[in-house]
Amino acid sequence: KSINPLNFETSPASLFSLLTFSWFTPFLDLGYSKAQLDPSDMETLPLPPSYQPDHIFSLFEHHWNEELKKPSPSIAMALARSYGWEYLQAGFLLLINDLCGFVNPLV
């Protein structure tokens, strides 16, 4: 069975909505109107199927079961194979952000 990696391509939100986080506004409005959010309130978020918790868990479980077949399984490698690309992309953006903050006073 092939496990699809995480992707945001199947999101019901438009590109503008994704860039400005306006897809998150209904959830913020709900949080503002209530004293405390309930777990059932998470259903108001328009997450694509690849970001649902059951898919994310099955992705990790698939890689963890492959690690268990090795002589010395590593949970770090299972996490890296499951979510490493997303963290690598975020780390690259953080590096650009830090470099811009460092270069800004020099210019």
Side-chain angles (χ1 to χ4, degrees):
K1 176 182 170 185
S2 176
I3 303 293
N4 293 333
L6 301 175
N7 66 24
F8 215 71
E9 295 170 359
T10 58
S11 172
S14 67
L15 178 62
F16 178 76
S17 177
L18 291 174
L19 291 175
T20 61
F21 289 95
S22 61
W23 58 271
F24 198 67
T25 303
F27 191 67
L28 292 175
D29 291 340
L30 181 64
Y32 183 73
S33 67
K34 296 174 76 172
Q36 183 175 0
L37 292 172
D38 300 321
S40 63
D41 294 333
M42 291 298 291
E43 295 171 3
T44 62
L45 286 175
L47 293 176
S50 65
Y51 277 78
Q52 296 295 330
D54 56 343
H55 176 76
I56 292 174
F57 174 72
S58 64
L59 182 64
F60 170 72
E61 186 179 38
H62 171 75
H63 290 289
W64 178 239
N65 287 335
E66 288 189 6
E67 279 294 313
L68 289 175
K69 295 175 185 174
K70 296 180 180 179
S72 58
S74 168
I75 195 164
M77 286 304 295
L79 287 169
R81 287 194 178 105
S82 299
Y83 317 116
W85 181 244
E86 287 76 17
Y87 281 103
L88 187 63
Q89 290 173 338
F92 179 71
L93 292 175
L94 180 64
L95 176 67
I96 291 174
N97 178 55
D98 290 347
L99 289 175
C100 288
F102 175 73
V103 172
N104 187 24
L106 299 176
V107 174

